[in-house]
Amino acid sequence: MWSRIEAHRKPWDMIVVGGGATGVGVAIDAASRGYDVLLLEQSDFGKGTSSRSTKLAHGGVRYLEQGNIGLVMEALKERGLLLQNAPHLVRDLAFIVPNYDWWEAPFYGLGLKLYQLLAGKYGFGTSRILSREETLKYLPTLKTEGLRGGAVYYDGQFDDARLLIHMVATAFEQGATLLNYVEVTGLTKDAQGFVDGVNARDAETGNEFRGVAKVVINATGAFSDLLRRKAEPAAAPMIVPSQGIHLVFDSSFLQGESAIMVPHTSDGRVLFAIPWHGHTLVGTTDTPIPDPLPEPVAMEEEIEFILATAGQYLAKAPTRDDVLSVFAGIRPLVRATGVANTAALSRDHVIHIDRSGLVTISGGKWTTYRRMAEDCVDQAATLAQLPEKPCMTHHLHIHGFLHAAKQFGALAVYGSDVHEIRKLINTDARFGEPLHAALPYVKAEVIWAARHEMARTVEDVLARRTRALFLNARAALDMAPTIAELMASELRWDEVTRIKQLSAFREVASNYVLHP
Ligand SMILES: Cc1cc2nc3c(=O)[nH]c(=O)nc-3n(C[C@H](O)[C@H](O)[C@H](O)COP(=O)(O)OP(=O)(O)OC[C@H]3O[C@@H](n4cnc5c(N)ncnc54)[C@H](O)[C@@H]3O)c2cc1C
């Protein structure tokens, strides 16, 4: 990637700042249209919100309740396209809304039927009302006291960080240049005061460079206002950061293949308990925070709220001791007012063009990243006076595209790359060795991540190339020394670097361990 940048003499068509779902989505869209794109991410791909979601490809039952039919239909279509283009990573999942009051079954039954109908040809499965016995068949660990029945509907589930890494590979295959661990430290302007490029610093070497572009796209999520202020220090803020956390438990809390959806918690939110990679994922909260942090930390009230709400629905109420991992993420919600010239293409995501010509894309959700990217590239190309080219992503397969990947068990998330990982194991039997008894990962995955997936740190491997840190933080800490050794030999780290890497990982991982 560096040699591509060094050899690049003319201005880039677009420089995208931020390597989350939004930025990488934009890079795929722009590169597949034939534009010349550079994407820079200050940390690892997905280090921000995009590895910390509930991992649902969904239309948003919540928006339906608010009467926002257009938004739901758009997201349901995107959910369908995601399944079509990345079948190795997206699957349909049955969600059960348990009913404890007489009115709930007809009320939710009807709403969920509408949800199913709105998906049209992109439908996932048939919603219906369930008897008490059927509900317990789907959810054997549900609290039975007062249970009347339930309603089932279908939505999509995926592995967010894994999809993102495969999206990075897709963007690269389409011709984009993408780098992690390069921070954009400033925006440069031409004589008329229009943004014409970025100043950036390689976090590994400290080297600085300038990238010139016809348009710069700000896809920094919760950090969008920070970048906007580098062009216009007085820019009115457009982001309201809001934190959401998840707790992860073992699979005994939610046996079977179905999820629980609680439509109204005591604070009026939706709460999910979902089977994920052999564990139970429960979330989320919605707490306004003053400033976004690169490594957000769960608050005590949030932890207590999720434990208490989960305890109302699960036969065995989970306690702090049962928490295997806790992680927090920040929603880049867009302010409703206060930004005068915002071009809102949908009420969900916003594309805002500052007077300096900096294009900011924010809001939306993981599920709609493709549509967000399409809208953003349409606007950015017009602004930069690039030749008009149609969007190509509706049917563009994501790297690893493979049907029936499930047959490969724990390696299924690699899709078509599974054959390469197996080859690694065949060349050296040690690479087939497991990394921890509690998790399904093998050494070959570390080698693969370092050689082919731009993993640069122990954390990259444990948090995002595998999901060890998100599934079981203590197990991830146990695995860390072996990961550091394997990476040291792959990336030629000296002893000082290996030790520094380990201690940096331990510091981050301490936020994912819940102390009694
Ligand atoms: C708790 C929670 C649950 C969610 N669940 C779901 C869900 O189930 N389904 C769904 O569809 N959506 C969900 N979402 C929403 C979804 O996760 C986000 O909308 C999406 O991940 C935002 O992606 P992004 O790329 O805009 O931001 P991010 O992923 O945060 O990416 C921004 C990137 O910009 C980088 N950056 C910042 N400043 C700079 C700089 N100066 N130079 C270079 N890089 C920089 C950051 O390091 C970061 O990686 C959830 C969100 C939260 C918080």
Side-chain angles (χ1 to χ4, degrees), residues 17-24 40-58 158 160 182-185 219-223 227 230 242-246 284-285 328-332 361-368 372:
V17 189
T22 308
V24 178
L40 302 173
E41 162 57 48
Q42 67 182 1
S43 176
D44 185 28
F45 303 115
K47 167 76 177 179
T49 309
S50 298
S51 60
R52 304 159 184 273
S53 77
T54 312
K55 294 120 191 37
L56 298 181
H58 62 165
F158 68 111
D160 48 11
V182 177
E183 182 191 3
V184 169
T185 52
T220 56
F223 300 92
L227 193 70
K230 289 190 197 297
S242 164
Q243 177 160 303
I245 73 149
H246 292 87
T284 174
T285 50
I330 303 172
R331 286 179 195 82
I361 164 111
S362 200
K365 54 182 184 225
W366 234 120
T367 311
T368 54
M372 292 167 68

Side-chain angles (χ1 to χ4, degrees), residues 109-128:
L110 253 172
L112 295 171
K113 199 80 205 162
L114 176 63
Y115 188 69
Q116 174 203 327
L117 291 175
L118 289 176
K121 65 175 179 174
Y122 297 102
F124 268 39
T126 309
S127 313
R128 63 187 183 93

Side-chain angles (χ1 to χ4, degrees), residues 137 372 398:
K137 230 181 228 168
M372 292 167 68
I398 297 296

